[in-house]
Amino acid sequence: MKNAIVMLMIFAIVSVAHADSYIDGTEAYKSGDYQKAYSLFNDGAQKGNADSQWMLAVMYYEGKGVPQDYQETFKWCHLAAEQGNVKAQSLLGVLYANGLGVQQDDQEAFKWMLLAAGNGDVGSQSSLGLMYVQGRGIEKSYENAYAWWLIAAGNGDAEAQDNLERARNRFTLDQIGSGQKIADEISAGINNK
């Protein structure tokens, strides 16, 4: 029992140190001190901190403080996404969809977008609507497209709202009705997480 308590205390101390590194890195990043931010994020990322891994992915994606490098973006983004970082899951979908740093793969893009959307990422929710309309990574489904746009629009996404307006003029009433039912089911699942 005593060993378990000691291990928990060590874990808590290490977790706080990772959090401090991430917070300090974020402050440096926001102030434009990209060298310091990189150093702090890299330290946390090497130790497995998903938030630090995510920020390294962002730095490589944007080319801030480091040369733009989509392979490094993919590497760090994938590590963070695997640990549940929702923003990383969404960006990983974008990387797969566009073949940035990884071979283009619509099914992988869909998988990661769906995961991020289910975890509440509004941009991914909107993107899923487009993927369903285009049949990218998944069979075409106007009902599912409408559902995801409805969810994203309800979460404030202006592009999804525009897509809904266009869909109302192009989709059948049955597709819209089915889409609304699907949206209700998906929303209930998201809200129950």
Side-chain angles (χ1 to χ4, degrees), residues 146 150 161 163-171 176 180:
Y146 192 85
L150 199 58
Q161 184 61 48
N163 287 330
L164 276 177
E165 291 302 319
R166 284 191 285 280
R168 288 182 183 122
N169 294 324
R170 294 185 181 138
F171 294 1
I176 292 171
Q180 289 174 327

Side-chain angles (χ1 to χ4, degrees), residues 2-175:
K2 196 174 190 180
N3 286 341
I5 293 171
V6 170
M7 290 304 292
L8 282 174
M9 290 175 59
I10 290 170
F11 178 75
I13 292 167
V14 170
S15 294
V16 169
H18 285 182
D20 287 345
S21 178
Y22 171 74
I23 291 168
D24 292 344
T26 302
E27 289 175 13
Y29 183 84
K30 287 179 182 177
S31 71
D33 187 350
Y34 300 124
Q35 286 183 331
K36 181 177 181 182
Y38 177 84
S39 177
L40 290 164
F41 291 143
N42 188 51
D43 181 55
Q46 295 293 339
K47 293 174 182 169
N49 180 276
D51 293 329
S52 292
Q53 291 167 345
W54 159 245
M55 285 307 298
L56 275 185
V58 169
M59 291 183 78
Y60 280 111
Y61 185 77
E62 296 177 343
K64 289 189 174 176
V66 294
Q68 188 175 48
D69 185 333
Y70 294 128
Q71 289 178 332
E72 284 293 312
T73 300
F74 176 81
K75 170 186 161 183
W76 293 111
C77 193
H78 192 269
L79 289 169
E82 287 284 345
Q83 292 190 69
N85 184 294
V86 177
K87 294 175 197 170
Q89 292 168 349
S90 180
L91 180 56
L92 199 54
V94 170
L95 296 174
Y96 273 114
N98 295 296
L100 299 173
V102 66
Q103 185 173 346
Q104 195 276 338
D105 185 331
D106 285 337
Q107 290 177 334
E108 280 295 308
F110 180 83
K111 174 183 118 177
W112 288 104
M113 287 287 184
L114 182 62
L115 186 59
N119 286 323
D121 185 75
V122 178
S124 293
Q125 292 168 350
S126 185
S127 293
L128 279 178
L130 292 174
M131 294 182 87
Y132 271 111
V133 163
Q134 297 168 353
R136 286 189 70 185
I138 192 73
E139 187 176 323
K140 277 187 182 185
S141 171
Y142 297 127
E143 296 84 357
N144 281 303
Y146 192 85
W148 281 109
W149 286 332
L150 199 58
I151 291 166
N155 288 323
D157 189 90
E159 184 178 337
Q161 184 61 48
D162 292 343
N163 287 330
L164 276 177
E165 291 302 319
R166 284 191 285 280
R168 288 182 183 122
N169 294 324
R170 294 185 181 138
F171 294 1
T172 68
L173 290 177
D174 285 342
Q175 290 168 332

